[in-house]
Amino acid sequence: MITKPPIDELTEKAGDKYTLCCVVSKRAKELNNNPELPANAKPISYAAEEFDDGILAVSKKL
């Protein structure tokens, strides 16, 4: 469960929960087997922190 950063703040930045889920989960999949991820970090939490810090952005494709 993501508690830091708060889900409500992340949802506001993303626009809705579905978009937030898509962005964070896609990045977490990339991080899953990546040496970039610190040893004790969880991929989904790390991706959520990246989104909160502005490293990840929402791109809407039509």
Coordinates of all heavy atoms in Angstrom, one line a residue:
M1 N 0.8 -1.2 0.0 CA 0.0 0.0 0.0 C 0.9 1.2 0.0 O 1.9 1.3 0.7 CB -0.9 0.0 1.2 CG -1.7 1.2 1.4 SD -2.6 1.3 2.9 CE -4.2 1.2 2.3
I2 N 0.5 2.2 -0.8 CA 1.3 3.4 -0.9 C 0.7 4.4 0.1 O -0.4 4.7 0.0 CB 1.2 4.0 -2.3 CG1 1.7 3.0 -3.4 CG2 2.0 5.3 -2.4 CD1 1.5 3.5 -4.8
T3 N 1.6 4.8 1.0 CA 1.1 5.8 2.0 C 1.9 7.1 1.8 O 1.5 8.2 2.2 CB 1.3 5.3 3.4 OG1 2.6 4.9 3.6 CG2 0.4 4.1 3.7
K4 N 3.1 7.0 1.3 CA 3.9 8.2 1.1 C 4.4 8.2 -0.4 O 5.1 7.3 -0.7 CB 5.2 8.1 2.0 CG 5.4 9.3 2.8 CD 6.6 9.1 3.6 CE 6.7 10.2 4.7 NZ 7.9 10.0 5.5
P5 N 4.1 9.1 -1.1 CA 3.2 10.2 -1.0 C 1.7 9.8 -1.0 O 1.4 8.7 -1.5 CB 3.4 11.0 -2.3 CG 4.0 10.0 -3.3 CD 4.7 9.0 -2.5
P6 N 0.9 10.6 -0.4 CA -0.6 10.2 -0.2 C -1.2 10.0 -1.6 O -1.0 10.7 -2.5 CB -1.2 11.4 0.5 CG 0.0 12.1 1.2 CD 1.2 11.8 0.3
I7 N -2.1 9.0 -1.7 CA -2.8 8.6 -2.9 C -3.6 9.8 -3.4 O -3.7 10.0 -4.6 CB -3.7 7.4 -2.7 CG1 -2.8 6.1 -2.5 CG2 -4.6 7.2 -3.8 CD1 -2.1 5.7 -3.7
D8 N -4.3 10.5 -2.5 CA -5.1 11.6 -2.9 C -4.3 12.7 -3.7 O -4.8 13.2 -4.7 CB -5.8 12.3 -1.7 CG -6.8 11.3 -1.1 OD1 -7.3 10.4 -1.8 OD2 -7.1 11.5 0.1
E9 N -3.1 13.0 -3.2 CA -2.3 14.0 -3.9 C -1.8 13.5 -5.2 O -1.8 14.2 -6.2 CB -1.0 14.3 -3.0 CG -1.3 15.1 -1.8 CD -0.1 15.3 -1.0 OE1 1.0 15.2 -1.5 OE2 -0.2 15.7 0.2
L10 N -1.5 12.2 -5.3 CA -1.1 11.6 -6.6 C -2.2 11.6 -7.6 O -2.0 11.9 -8.8 CB -0.6 10.2 -6.4 CG 0.7 10.0 -5.6 CD1 1.0 8.6 -5.4 CD2 1.9 10.7 -6.3
T11 N -3.4 11.3 -7.1 CA -4.6 11.3 -8.0 C -4.9 12.7 -8.5 O -5.2 12.8 -9.7 CB -5.8 10.8 -7.2 OG1 -5.5 9.5 -6.7 CG2 -7.0 10.7 -8.1
E12 N -4.7 13.7 -7.7 CA -4.9 15.1 -8.2 C -3.9 15.4 -9.3 O -4.3 16.0 -10.3 CB -4.8 16.1 -7.1 CG -5.9 16.1 -6.1 CD -5.7 17.0 -4.9 OE1 -4.9 18.0 -5.1 OE2 -6.4 16.8 -3.9
K13 N -2.7 15.0 -9.2 CA -1.7 15.3 -10.2 C -2.0 14.5 -11.5 O -1.7 15.0 -12.6 CB -0.3 14.9 -9.7 CG 0.2 15.8 -8.6 CD 1.6 15.4 -8.2 CE 2.2 16.3 -7.2 NZ 3.6 16.0 -6.8
A14 N -2.5 13.3 -11.3 CA -2.7 12.4 -12.5 C -4.0 12.7 -13.2 O -4.2 12.5 -14.4 CB -2.7 10.9 -12.1
G15 N -5.0 13.2 -12.4 CA -6.3 13.5 -13.0 C -7.3 12.6 -12.6 O -8.5 13.0 -12.2
D16 N -7.0 11.3 -12.5 CA -7.9 10.3 -12.0 C -7.2 9.0 -11.6 O -6.0 8.9 -11.9 CB -9.0 9.9 -13.0 CG -8.5 9.4 -14.3 OD1 -7.7 8.5 -14.3 OD2 -8.9 10.0 -15.4
K17 N -7.8 8.2 -10.9 CA -7.1 7.0 -10.3 C -6.7 6.0 -11.4 O -5.6 5.4 -11.3 CB -8.0 6.3 -9.3 CG -8.2 7.1 -8.0 CD -9.0 6.3 -7.0 CE -9.1 7.2 -5.7 NZ -10.0 6.5 -4.7
Y18 N -7.5 5.9 -12.4 CA -7.1 5.0 -13.5 C -5.8 5.4 -14.2 O -4.9 4.6 -14.4 CB -8.2 4.9 -14.6 CG -7.9 4.0 -15.7 CD1 -8.0 2.6 -15.6 CD2 -7.5 4.5 -16.9 CE1 -7.6 1.8 -16.6 CE2 -7.1 3.7 -18.0 CZ -7.2 2.3 -17.8 OH -6.9 1.5 -18.9
T19 N -5.7 6.7 -14.5 CA -4.5 7.2 -15.1 C -3.3 7.0 -14.2 O -2.2 6.6 -14.6 CB -4.6 8.7 -15.5 OG1 -5.8 8.8 -16.3 CG2 -3.4 9.2 -16.1
L20 N -3.5 7.3 -12.9 CA -2.4 7.1 -11.9 C -1.9 5.7 -11.9 O -0.7 5.4 -11.9 CB -2.9 7.6 -10.5 CG -1.9 7.3 -9.4 CD1 -0.7 8.1 -9.5 CD2 -2.6 7.6 -8.1
C21 N -2.9 4.8 -11.9 CA -2.6 3.3 -11.9 C -1.8 2.9 -13.1 O -0.8 2.2 -13.0 CB -3.8 2.5 -11.8 SG -3.6 0.8 -11.7
C22 N -2.2 3.4 -14.2 CA -1.5 3.1 -15.5 C 0.0 3.6 -15.5 O 0.9 2.9 -15.9 CB -2.3 3.6 -16.7 SG -3.8 2.8 -17.0
V23 N 0.1 4.8 -15.1 CA 1.5 5.5 -15.2 C 2.4 4.8 -14.2 O 3.5 4.4 -14.5 CB 1.4 7.0 -14.9 CG1 2.7 7.6 -14.7 CG2 0.6 7.7 -16.0
V24 N 2.0 4.6 -13.0 CA 2.8 4.1 -11.9 C 3.1 2.6 -12.2 O 4.2 2.1 -12.0 CB 2.2 4.3 -10.5 CG1 3.0 3.6 -9.4 CG2 2.2 5.8 -10.2
S25 N 2.1 1.8 -12.6 CA 2.3 0.4 -12.8 C 3.3 0.2 -14.0 O 4.1 -0.8 -14.0 CB 1.0 -0.3 -13.0 OG 0.4 0.1 -14.2
K26 N 3.2 1.0 -15.0 CA 4.1 0.8 -16.2 C 5.5 1.1 -15.8 O 6.4 0.3 -16.1 CB 3.7 1.8 -17.3 CG 4.5 1.6 -18.5 CD 4.0 2.4 -19.7 CE 4.8 2.2 -20.9 NZ 4.3 3.0 -22.1
R27 N 5.7 2.1 -15.0 CA 7.1 2.4 -14.5 C 7.6 1.3 -13.6 O 8.7 0.9 -13.6 CB 7.1 3.8 -13.9 CG 8.4 4.2 -13.3 CD 9.5 4.2 -14.4 NE 10.8 4.7 -13.8 CZ 12.0 4.3 -14.2 NH1 12.1 3.6 -15.3 NH2 13.0 4.8 -13.6
A28 N 6.7 0.8 -12.7 CA 7.1 -0.2 -11.8 C 7.5 -1.5 -12.5 O 8.5 -2.1 -12.1 CB 5.9 -0.5 -10.8
K29 N 6.9 -1.8 -13.6 CA 7.3 -3.0 -14.4 C 8.7 -2.7 -15.0 O 9.5 -3.7 -15.1 CB 6.3 -3.2 -15.5 CG 5.0 -3.8 -15.1 CD 4.0 -4.0 -16.3 CE 2.7 -4.6 -15.8 NZ 1.8 -4.8 -16.9
E30 N 8.9 -1.5 -15.4 CA 10.3 -1.2 -15.9 C 11.3 -1.4 -14.8 O 12.5 -1.8 -15.1 CB 10.3 0.2 -16.5 CG 9.5 0.4 -17.7 CD 9.5 1.9 -18.1 OE1 10.0 2.8 -17.4 OE2 8.9 2.2 -19.2
L31 N 11.0 -1.0 -13.6 CA 11.9 -1.0 -12.5 C 12.1 -2.4 -11.9 O 13.1 -2.6 -11.2 CB 11.5 -0.1 -11.4 CG 11.5 1.4 -11.7 CD1 10.8 2.2 -10.6 CD2 13.0 1.9 -11.8
N32 N 11.2 -3.3 -12.2 CA 11.2 -4.6 -11.5 C 12.5 -5.3 -11.6 O 13.0 -5.9 -10.6 CB 10.1 -5.4 -12.1 CG 9.6 -6.5 -11.1 OD1 9.8 -6.4 -9.9 ND2 9.0 -7.5 -11.6
N33 N 13.1 -5.4 -12.7 CA 14.4 -6.1 -12.9 C 15.5 -5.1 -13.3 O 16.4 -5.5 -14.0 CB 14.3 -7.2 -13.9 CG 13.4 -8.3 -13.4 OD1 13.4 -8.7 -12.3 ND2 12.5 -8.7 -14.3
N34 N 15.5 -3.9 -12.8 CA 16.4 -2.9 -13.2 C 17.4 -2.6 -12.0 O 16.9 -2.4 -10.9 CB 15.6 -1.6 -13.5 CG 16.5 -0.6 -14.2 OD1 17.6 -0.4 -14.0 ND2 15.8 0.2 -15.1
P35 N 18.7 -2.5 -12.3 CA 19.6 -2.2 -11.2 C 19.5 -0.8 -10.7 O 20.1 -0.4 -9.7 CB 21.0 -2.4 -11.9 CG 20.7 -2.4 -13.3 CD 19.3 -2.8 -13.6
E36 N 18.7 0.1 -11.4 CA 18.5 1.4 -11.0 C 17.8 1.5 -9.6 O 17.9 2.4 -8.9 CB 17.7 2.1 -12.1 CG 17.3 3.5 -11.8 CD 16.5 4.1 -12.9 OE1 16.6 3.7 -14.1 OE2 15.6 5.0 -12.7
L37 N 17.0 0.5 -9.3 CA 16.2 0.4 -8.1 C 17.0 0.1 -6.9 O 17.8 -0.9 -7.0 CB 15.1 -0.6 -8.3 CG 14.0 -0.8 -7.2 CD1 13.2 0.5 -7.1 CD2 13.2 -2.0 -7.4
P38 N 17.0 0.9 -5.9 CA 17.7 0.5 -4.6 C 17.3 -0.8 -4.1 O 16.1 -1.3 -4.3 CB 17.3 1.6 -3.7 CG 16.9 2.8 -4.5 CD 16.3 2.2 -5.7
A39 N 18.2 -1.5 -3.4 CA 17.9 -2.9 -3.0 C 16.7 -3.1 -2.1 O 16.0 -4.1 -2.2 CB 19.2 -3.4 -2.3
N40 N 16.4 -2.1 -1.2 CA 15.3 -2.3 -0.3 C 14.1 -1.6 -0.7 O 13.1 -1.6 0.0 CB 15.7 -1.8 1.1 CG 16.1 -0.3 1.1 OD1 16.3 0.3 0.1 ND2 16.2 0.2 2.3
A41 N 14.0 -1.0 -1.9 CA 12.8 -0.3 -2.4 C 11.9 -1.2 -3.1 O 12.3 -2.2 -3.8 CB 13.3 0.8 -3.3
K42 N 10.6 -1.0 -3.0 CA 9.6 -1.7 -3.7 C 9.3 -0.9 -5.0 O 9.2 0.3 -5.0 CB 8.3 -1.8 -2.9 CG 8.5 -2.6 -1.7 CD 7.2 -2.7 -0.9 CE 7.5 -3.5 0.4 NZ 6.3 -3.6 1.3
P43 N 9.2 -1.6 -6.2 CA 9.0 -0.9 -7.4 C 7.8 0.0 -7.5 O 7.9 1.1 -8.0 CB 8.9 -2.1 -8.4 CG 9.5 -3.2 -7.8 CD 9.3 -3.1 -6.3
I44 N 6.7 -0.4 -7.0 CA 5.5 0.4 -7.0 C 5.6 1.7 -6.2 O 5.2 2.8 -6.6 CB 4.2 -0.4 -6.7 CG1 3.0 0.3 -7.2 CG2 4.1 -0.7 -5.2 CD1 2.7 0.0 -8.6
S45 N 6.2 1.6 -5.0 CA 6.4 2.7 -4.2 C 7.5 3.7 -4.8 O 7.3 4.9 -4.7 CB 6.9 2.3 -2.8 OG 5.9 1.5 -2.1
Y46 N 8.5 3.1 -5.4 CA 9.5 3.9 -6.0 C 8.9 4.7 -7.2 O 9.2 5.9 -7.4 CB 10.7 3.0 -6.4 CG 11.9 3.8 -6.8 CD1 12.8 4.2 -5.8 CD2 12.3 4.1 -8.1 CE1 14.0 4.9 -6.1 CE2 13.4 4.7 -8.4 CZ 14.3 5.1 -7.4 OH 15.4 5.8 -7.8
A47 N 8.1 4.0 -8.0 CA 7.5 4.7 -9.1 C 6.5 5.8 -8.7 O 6.5 6.8 -9.3 CB 6.8 3.6 -10.0
A48 N 5.8 5.5 -7.6 CA 4.9 6.6 -7.1 C 5.7 7.8 -6.6 O 5.3 8.9 -6.8 CB 4.1 6.0 -5.9
E49 N 6.8 7.6 -6.0 CA 7.7 8.7 -5.5 C 8.2 9.4 -6.8 O 8.3 10.7 -6.7 CB 8.8 8.2 -4.7 CG 8.4 7.7 -3.3 CD 9.5 7.1 -2.5 OE1 10.7 7.3 -2.9 OE2 9.2 6.5 -1.5
E50 N 8.6 8.7 -7.8 CA 9.0 9.4 -9.0 C 7.9 10.2 -9.6 O 8.2 11.4 -10.1 CB 9.5 8.4 -10.1 CG 10.8 7.7 -9.8 CD 11.3 6.8 -10.9 OE1 10.5 6.3 -11.7 OE2 12.5 6.6 -11.0
F51 N 6.7 9.7 -9.6 CA 5.6 10.5 -10.1 C 5.3 11.7 -9.3 O 5.1 12.8 -9.8 CB 4.3 9.6 -10.2 CG 3.2 10.3 -10.8 CD1 3.1 10.5 -12.2 CD2 2.1 10.8 -10.0 CE1 2.0 11.2 -12.7 CE2 1.0 11.5 -10.6 CZ 1.0 11.7 -11.9
D52 N 5.4 11.6 -8.0 CA 5.2 12.7 -7.1 C 6.3 13.8 -7.3 O 6.0 15.0 -7.2 CB 5.2 12.3 -5.6 CG 4.8 13.4 -4.7 OD1 3.8 14.1 -5.0 OD2 5.4 13.5 -3.6
D53 N 7.5 13.4 -7.5 CA 8.7 14.3 -7.7 C 8.7 14.9 -9.1 O 9.5 15.8 -9.4 CB 10.0 13.6 -7.5 CG 10.2 13.1 -6.1 OD1 9.5 13.7 -5.2 OD2 11.0 12.2 -5.8
G54 N 7.8 14.5 -10.0 CA 7.7 15.0 -11.3 C 8.6 14.4 -12.4 O 8.8 14.8 -13.5
I55 N 9.3 13.3 -12.0 CA 10.1 12.6 -12.9 C 9.3 11.8 -14.0 O 9.7 11.8 -15.1 CB 11.0 11.6 -12.1 CG1 11.9 12.3 -11.2 CG2 11.8 10.7 -13.1 CD1 12.7 11.5 -10.2
L56 N 8.1 11.3 -13.5 CA 7.2 10.7 -14.5 C 6.1 11.7 -14.8 O 5.7 12.5 -14.0 CB 6.5 9.5 -13.8 CG 7.4 8.3 -13.5 CD1 6.5 7.3 -12.8 CD2 8.0 7.7 -14.7
A57 N 5.6 11.6 -16.1 CA 4.6 12.5 -16.5 C 3.5 11.7 -17.2 O 3.7 10.6 -17.7 CB 5.1 13.6 -17.4
V58 N 2.3 12.3 -17.2 CA 1.2 11.6 -17.8 C 1.2 12.1 -19.3 O 1.2 13.3 -19.5 CB -0.2 12.0 -17.2 CG1 -1.3 11.4 -17.9 CG2 -0.2 11.5 -15.7
S59 N 1.2 11.2 -20.2 CA 1.0 11.6 -21.6 C -0.2 10.9 -22.1 O -0.4 9.7 -22.0 CB 2.3 11.1 -22.4 OG 2.4 9.7 -22.5
K60 N -1.1 11.7 -22.7 CA -2.3 11.2 -23.2 C -2.2 10.9 -24.7 O -2.0 11.8 -25.4 CB -3.5 12.1 -22.9 CG -3.6 12.3 -21.4 CD -4.9 12.8 -21.0 CE -5.0 12.9 -19.5 NZ -6.2 12.8 -18.9
K61 N -2.4 9.7 -25.1 CA -2.3 9.3 -26.5 C -3.7 9.0 -27.0 O -4.5 8.4 -26.3 CB -1.4 8.1 -26.7 CG 0.0 8.3 -26.3 CD 0.8 7.0 -26.6 CE 2.3 7.2 -26.2 NZ 3.0 6.0 -26.4
L62 N -4.0 9.5 -28.1 CA -5.3 9.3 -28.7 C -5.3 8.2 -29.8 O -4.4 8.0 -30.4 CB -5.9 10.6 -29.2 CG -6.1 11.7 -28.2 CD1 -6.6 12.9 -28.9 CD2 -7.2 11.2 -27.2

